[in-house]
Amino acid sequence: MKKLRKWSRILHRDIGYFFIGTTILYGISGIALNHLSDWNPNYSVEIKNFTTTLNLENSPSVKTTILTLLDNIDNRDNYKKHYYPDKNKLKIFIKGGSSIIVNVNSGKGYAEYLKRRPLFYEANFLHYNPNRIWTWFSDIFAAALILFAITSLFMVKGKKGITGRGGIYTALGILLPILFLIFYL
């Protein structure tokens, strides 16, 4: 049992050091993704209102007018495409996932600029497992988390270990998800 405790501490420590960055990354991303209904963790949205006197009604030459509009409120080089969701509205797509919507009758419009949130965008990108290599790495990380849990059972002996207070915490940690599933599933 003494050797098991020793190796549990060594594995727990060394694998823990290796995965500390991944643990923080997944923790931050997990919290952000838990609150998707409260905010967009990947992008911040900035809205700029404007009014124009340009004639943006649907016509074969409207793209030239749209580029003139972009010169005034953004940059013509950011233009991607446009369409009319209805006869009174023009929607212009610009680079970076941003867009501009104009009421062609009143000339009132707004530009909606999306900007990546630093750290959150990158952390969430990895949390979604973007490719096969990262999926394998994530699987290894998940296995390491299981190993952390198992090795923690044998690291401390006595009243603070699994046969004492540690056992109570372990039982509560198992019971809480089960109760949640019973009452909310």
Side-chain angles (χ1 to χ4, degrees):
M1 194 56 128
K2 192 173 184 177
K3 254 190 172 168
L4 179 63
R5 257 192 288 287
K6 177 184 174 186
W7 278 104
S8 290
R9 281 193 303 277
I10 290 169
L11 288 171
H12 198 91
R13 178 195 65 214
D14 292 348
I15 294 171
Y17 283 140
F18 181 79
F19 282 113
I20 197 160
T22 309
T23 302
I24 292 168
L25 178 102
Y26 272 82
I28 290 168
S29 177
I31 292 169
L33 294 174
N34 281 344
H35 298 278
L36 283 175
S37 62
D38 301 322
W39 72 315
N40 181 340
N42 292 326
Y43 295 97
S44 63
V45 179
E46 181 185 341
I47 302 214
K48 290 185 180 176
N49 294 307
F50 65 88
T51 304
T52 184
T53 57
L54 295 171
N55 181 1
L56 294 165
E57 291 181 11
N58 198 354
S59 71
S61 63
V62 74
K63 185 175 176 186
T64 306
T65 312
I66 289 171
L67 294 175
T68 302
L69 174 69
L70 288 176
D71 286 338
N72 295 328
I73 60 171
D74 190 81
N75 181 337
R76 77 172 41 219
D77 294 334
N78 289 335
Y79 173 83
K80 287 177 78 178
K81 63 182 177 178
H82 71 276
Y83 85 105
Y84 290 84
D86 63 50
K87 66 179 183 168
N88 297 324
K89 273 189 193 159
L90 165 65
K91 184 166 187 174
I92 306 164
F93 296 96
I94 55 178
K95 292 179 183 172
S98 300
S99 62
I100 298 169
I101 296 179
V102 186
N103 181 313
V104 295
N105 294 329
S106 69
K108 292 182 180 182
Y110 63 91
E112 184 178 83
Y113 294 103
L114 299 179
K115 294 192 180 179
R116 288 183 181 171
R117 290 186 193 273
L119 181 64
F120 286 106
Y121 179 86
E122 291 81 3
N124 292 337
F125 176 78
L126 291 175
H127 208 130
Y128 291 133
N129 291 338
N131 63 38
R132 190 165 176 80
I133 293 169
W134 189 258
T135 298
W136 278 101
F137 181 81
S138 296
D139 289 346
I140 292 166
F141 175 61
L145 290 176
I146 293 167
L147 185 63
F148 289 154
I150 292 169
T151 57
S152 70
L153 296 174
F154 304 105
M155 290 174 59
V156 180
K157 63 180 180 177
K159 65 182 182 179
K160 293 182 181 176
I162 193 69
T163 58
R165 183 174 66 196
I168 294 168
Y169 291 150
T170 300
L172 288 172
I174 293 169
L175 186 62
L176 282 174
I178 291 171
L179 287 173
F180 183 83
L181 289 172
I182 290 170
F183 291 111
Y184 292 101
L185 190 62

